[in-house]
Amino acid sequence: MPLNIRSEEVNALAAKLAERIQVNKTEAVRMALENELRRIDEAVPLWERLKPLRERIAAYPDTGLVADKEFFAELSGEY
């Protein structure tokens, strides 16, 4: 089924991309759509990107020390 682009802005963007990469507008649109789908598929969620950091922090042993509330209050300017 053909794609009919009625937006002048989208048409202009397709023409601009086509000119830059030396292909016709249909090929430019195809490439842009493929690239965007690949980008979405390869995107790694923030939670997963932070996994190495979370594991490193979790590996530290518990010190058993109690947090000194006065020390942290002084750091934040609270007295």
Side-chain angles (χ1 to χ4, degrees), residues 3-52:
L3 176 65
N4 186 3
I5 299 174
R6 295 182 184 192
S7 166
E8 287 302 318
E9 180 184 7
V10 173
N11 189 43
L13 289 169
K16 188 175 183 178
L17 178 61
E19 183 180 328
R20 285 192 185 178
I21 60 176
Q22 302 288 305
V23 297
N24 62 37
K25 284 194 286 186
T26 301
E27 182 65 11
V29 170
R30 184 192 66 75
M31 291 173 64
L33 293 171
E34 282 181 346
N35 288 336
E36 184 63 14
L37 288 169
R38 185 180 317 108
R39 187 188 69 79
I40 291 168
D41 288 343
E42 293 173 355
V44 179
L46 177 61
W47 186 251
E48 287 301 313
R49 291 194 317 254
L50 292 175
K51 187 176 181 181

